[in-house]
Amino acid sequence: MSARVVVLISGTGSNMAALLDAAADPAYGARVVAVGADRDGAGGIDRARAAGVPTFTTRFADHPDRARWNAALAERIAEHRPDLVVSAGFMRILGPETVGRFPVINIHPALLPAFPGAHAVRDALAYGVKVTGATVHFVDEGVDTGPVIDQVTVRVEPGDDVHTLHERIKAVERGMLVDVVGRLARDGWTLDGRHVRLGPTGPGPLPTSRDVAEENR
Ligand code: GAR
């Protein structure tokens, strides 16, 4: 049985599209059962609909505060009974209502712990690093602080601007995300403090991101 994956997006959804393409092969081990957005007009929503995948939008502005938005989002996610939630270009911070309930992973366009936050590519360029990249990590209750699952490097070239560098990062990050989601789905994982090992977990439910947070306390 394929693992049920809910993908959260805010924009183009190229990472989400790569997951949809990979999941077309039943041997991949995961299928995208829903795509959610936090705003109207996220381009990836149209792509998901065209592929026949259920979509939902939980707009931040429709809720009185962050906790209630998070709770509403968690309810929408739960309707699709995910085994794994993938934050793929989702530009909002998930709270305990979400990360305490499901295992959640995120793709970030920098080599964490360097350059967390919403402007990772800009910040890496401004700092003058020669190598940057992308990270897939479990989401805990901090901002880009959860245990690292995998990373890929990208060289900063002379003359790069935010757009050219981000495009090169995007070209490699999606392959890593597809690989990680497939391996998590097929093989499971275990956590030893901050250390993630991909592979069989033995009997029992997969850990949630709250378990991840507690292991790190
Ligand atoms: C990706 O590069 C992802 O790493 C980044 O947003 C982009 C979304 O692209 N995420 C963050 O910056 C999270 N802080 P996509 O919508 O085409 O998948």
Side-chain angles (χ1 to χ4, degrees):
M1 264 265 282
S2 289
R4 300 174 62 84
V5 175
V6 170
V7 185
L8 302 178
I9 63 169
S10 295
T12 315
S14 62
N15 282 286
M16 179 274 300
L19 289 171
L20 281 182
D21 290 344
D25 178 356
Y28 181 58
R31 64 196 162 104
V32 179
V33 293
V35 174
D38 63 322
R39 63 194 68 181
D40 295 325
I45 288 289
D46 293 337
R47 165 78 208 260
R49 278 202 195 115
V53 175
T55 63
F56 60 88
T57 300
T58 307
R59 284 166 23 110
F60 194 78
D62 292 343
H63 299 84
D65 55 39
R66 179 169 296 279
R68 273 176 278 190
W69 171 75
N70 255 297
L73 178 67
E75 285 307 308
R76 298 305 305 272
I77 295 170
E79 288 168 15
H80 301 281
R81 293 176 287 107
D83 298 304
L84 181 69
V85 176
V86 178
S87 158
F90 190 65
M91 301 306 281
R92 290 201 183 271
I93 297 163
L94 294 169
E97 299 82 358
T98 312
V99 300
R101 194 161 168 186
F102 319 101
V104 185
I105 67 169
N106 178 53
I107 179 106
H108 182 76
L111 295 174
L112 291 171
F115 312 118
H119 303 288
V121 180
R122 182 195 73 187
D123 295 347
L125 260 184
Y127 195 90
V129 294
K130 304 300 181 200
V131 177
T132 184
T135 302
V136 184
H137 64 96
F138 280 108
V139 179
D140 62 13
E141 291 175 24
V143 178
D144 300 326
T145 52
V148 170
I149 306 171
D150 203 359
Q151 296 185 298
V152 62
T153 57
V154 173
R155 282 204 70 81
V156 180
E157 302 294 349
D160 260 341
D161 58 23
V162 172
H163 177 74
T164 58
L165 180 55
H166 200 172
E167 284 305 308
R168 285 209 314 291
I169 292 171
K170 288 179 77 162
V172 294
E173 70 176 357
R174 62 180 77 113
M176 173 173 62
L177 182 67
V178 164
D179 178 60
V180 164
V181 168
R183 292 172 70 192
L184 291 172
R186 291 188 302 273
D187 304 332
W189 68 89
T190 49
L191 277 166
D192 176 13
R194 288 197 58 83
H195 298 267
V196 180
R197 188 171 56 79
L198 300 182
T201 52
L206 297 176
T208 65
S209 295
R210 183 181 296 269
D211 298 327
V212 174
E214 276 165 8
E215 280 228 22
N216 286 318
R217 263 185 205 124

